Amino acid sequence: MSRRTDNRHRAATICRAATGLAHRTCVRWAADGLITRHRPVPDAGTPQQQALEARLFAALAGGTVLALTAVMPSRTDPALALHADRAREFLDAVLPRLDGAGVLHGVPGLRLVPDSGSWWLADAVDRARVRLVHPRPGWQPGTSGREGGGPDRLWSGGRRALHPAEEAARNGGAGRGAASPDRDLLFSRTLRRLRLIVDAGAQHGWVNLDTTTSYDLVVDCCCASGALKLMRGLRQSLLAEDPEDDGPGYPGDIDVGGASVAVRHATCGSFPQPAGAWYPQGATC
């Protein structure tokens, strides 16, 4: 096997593990030069796309990230694969709405729109968007109804203009957790390595994403082995362009420019279990 072929095979193997794509797709991407040993998962093609993906990822607190199963990380028009039984949970988490007190929830400026027979999550201001893929043919998106009706559903009715609450959220302060190019890149890249997080939570059906700490992102896994596997995968997939990230990997920290992610493990009982939490068959939590 030539060195070039070996590098392509390794890039394809890393891409498949990070994204959940079919191996043949990753092999084709490697052959076409869309992925390489030094960038095994494609980045978003524009800052606007990175920002949208970062806002989506930031909305997936708690176990909601497990409502997704895979990602197709194309530079433009990437796709998110929805869990067959948890699509509504994902939409409830990301679609913008106002509660009874006028507090904004979800991703400001996000709109649910049909196009060419598919459903998309699109930014109301920029051209960035993400396609939704559901395993059931003819799937139509729905939500739980918690978002209220009429003007409280900021994502519905073809609304293009931002609500004042959305404008305020998008123009937030510069404190920890506020948007920045490095944070957008970190979150976008982590979303594009979604399968690693899904696999980390697969054994017990729970993985926690925290964006309120001194780190930009803390990922808590139920088990030490899950945290170890996740950190190793993030390093091997070159979440950060650092030669040291190609090592064996242990739970710890990764910096992407001025942004940082920490992977930690804790016992199952330490996780805040939400009402109606979903667990895979055979889970032991």
Side-chain angles (χ1 to χ4, degrees):
M1 180 182 294
S2 69
R3 182 174 181 180
R4 175 179 295 182
T5 302
D6 183 64
N7 283 339
R8 287 178 178 176
H9 175 75
R10 182 162 173 76
T13 299
I14 293 173
C15 182
R16 179 193 58 77
T19 65
L21 288 176
H23 185 67
R24 63 181 179 276
T25 300
C26 298
V27 169
R28 185 176 70 250
W29 282 14
D32 292 342
L34 300 177
I35 58 174
T36 68
R37 178 65 191 85
H38 300 290
R39 179 51 56 208
V41 180
D43 282 339
T46 65
Q48 294 78 15
Q49 185 67 36
Q50 282 186 2
L52 172 62
E53 293 174 16
R55 289 192 287 267
L56 282 170
F57 185 77
L60 301 179
T64 308
V65 69
L66 299 182
L68 302 173
T69 61
V71 59
M72 177 172 284
S74 304
R75 288 179 58 82
T76 60
D77 294 345
L80 297 176
L82 301 168
H83 188 285
D85 300 318
R86 302 189 72 180
R88 176 175 292 179
E89 178 185 344
F90 170 75
L91 293 175
D92 283 342
V94 301
L95 292 176
R97 61 184 175 85
L98 297 174
D99 63 18
V103 176
L104 177 68
H105 300 269
V107 177
L110 192 67
R111 301 295 184 259
L112 179 65
V113 296
D115 183 34
S116 302
S118 297
W119 285 95
W120 300 77
L121 295 176
D123 189 88
V125 177
D126 301 316
R127 297 177 62 86
R129 62 180 189 171
V130 173
R131 183 166 58 94
L132 300 178
V133 178
H134 195 278
R136 293 172 185 153
W139 171 77
Q140 296 291 314
T143 59
S144 67
R146 292 201 308 267
E147 69 277 356
D152 295 337
R153 298 162 54 113
L154 303 182
W155 51 270
S156 65
R159 180 198 296 264
R160 296 289 298 176
L162 295 181
H163 186 277
E166 293 181 296
E167 290 184 348
R170 288 170 71 110
N171 298 320
R176 170 61 67 182
S180 73
D182 287 342
R183 189 173 189 265
D184 284 352
L185 179 58
L186 169 64
F187 281 19
S188 173
R189 282 184 174 177
T190 307
L191 180 66
R192 286 167 172 257
R193 290 154 175 79
L194 173 77
R195 189 68 198 189
L196 297 172
I197 297 178
V198 171
D199 287 347
Q203 183 174 357
H204 297 288
W206 183 256
V207 60
N208 187 60
L209 308 179
D210 188 351
T211 60
T212 63
T213 70
S214 58
Y215 292 88
D216 292 274
L217 171 67
V218 174
V219 184
D220 289 312
C221 303
C222 287
C223 304
S225 59
L228 175 63
K229 183 178 180 181
L230 174 57
M231 179 54 70
R232 182 183 294 119
L234 292 175
R235 285 176 166 162
Q236 289 180 340
S237 64
L238 295 180
L239 181 69
E241 296 95 342
D242 187 338
E244 294 182 0
D245 287 340
D246 192 36
Y250 295 95
D253 311 337
I254 294 179
D255 295 329
V256 177
S260 58
V261 56
V263 177
R264 302 287 184 259
H265 72 267
T267 59
C268 298
S270 67
F271 288 96
Q273 305 297 340
W278 175 88
Y279 302 100
Q281 185 174 4
T284 56
C285 279

